[in-house]
């Protein structure tokens, strides 16, 4: 009976040792799996953070580039419209000045020609009248 009890105790001790080693191995494997999961989640979280930071940087740069380009386009449009309006105003002023100068020159020439014609007709009329008066006086005296 002692031998059976010792055998049973030895087998119980061996079974508990085997179970303890199995429990230790499973605990070690579970901790390794947990550590690898934590490391993988940390790596994934850092990758997600890096991609978010890069995405925000890209979005900010795109927004800045579009704002700068729209500002440049607006400034060029404003400058072009200002230059075109200035050119249109200058050409209108020049055209009006040229037209007024032409009108004034034609008016001056017409008045000069009319005054010359009036003066010539007056001089010719007085000469003809004086000649007629002289001829009649000569004829009367003769």
């Amino acid at each position: 009976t002692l031998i059976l009890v010792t055998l049973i105790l030895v087998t119980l001790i061996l079974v508990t040792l085997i179970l303890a080693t199995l429990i230790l191995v499973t605990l070690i494997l579970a901790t390794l799996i947990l550590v690898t999961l934590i490391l993988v989640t940390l790596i994934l979280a850092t990758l997600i953070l890096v991609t978010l930071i890069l995405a925000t940087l890209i979005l900010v740069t795109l927004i800045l580039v579009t704002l700068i380009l729209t500002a440049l386009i607006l400034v060029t449009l404003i400058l072009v419209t200002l230059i075109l309006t200035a050119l249109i105003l200058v050409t209108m002023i020049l055209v009006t000045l040229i037209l007024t100068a032409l009108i004034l020159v034609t008016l001056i020439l017409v008045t000069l020609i009319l005054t010359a014609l009036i003066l010539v007709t007056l001089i010719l009329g007085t000469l003809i009248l004086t000649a007629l008066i002289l001829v009649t006086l000569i004829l009367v005296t003769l």
Side-chain angles (χ1 to χ4, degrees):
T1 59
L2 274 172
I3 295 171
L4 280 172
V5 168
T6 53
L7 278 173
I8 289 171
L9 281 172
V10 167
T11 53
L12 282 174
I13 291 170
L14 283 173
V15 166
T16 52
L17 282 174
I18 291 170
L19 285 174
T21 52
L22 283 173
I23 290 170
L24 274 174
V25 166
T26 53
L27 281 174
I28 292 169
L29 284 174
T31 52
L32 284 173
I33 290 171
L34 278 173
V35 167
T36 52
L37 283 174
I38 290 170
L39 285 173
V40 166
T41 52
L42 283 174
I43 291 169
L44 285 174
T46 52
L47 284 174
I48 290 170
L49 276 173
V50 167
T51 52
L52 282 174
I53 290 170
L54 285 174
T56 52
L57 284 174
I58 289 170
L59 280 173
V60 166
T61 52
L62 283 174
I63 291 170
L64 284 175
V65 165
T66 51
L67 285 175
I68 290 169
L69 285 176
T70 50
L72 285 174
I73 290 170
L74 283 173
V75 166
T76 51
L77 283 173
I78 291 170
L79 284 175
V80 165
T81 52
L82 285 175
I83 290 170
L84 285 176
T85 51
L87 285 173
I88 290 170
L89 284 173
V90 165
T91 52
M92 288 176 67
I93 290 170
L94 284 175
V95 166
T96 52
L97 284 175
I98 290 169
L99 286 175
T100 51
L102 285 174
I103 291 170
L104 283 174
V105 166
T106 52
L107 283 173
I108 290 170
L109 284 174
V110 166
T111 53
L112 283 175
I113 290 169
L114 286 176
T115 52
L117 283 174
I118 290 170
L119 283 174
V120 165
T121 52
L122 283 173
I123 291 170
L124 282 176
T126 53
L127 283 175
I128 291 171
L129 282 175
T130 53
L132 283 174
I133 291 170
L134 283 174
V135 165
T136 53
L137 283 174
I138 291 170
L139 285 175
V140 166
T141 55
L142 287 174

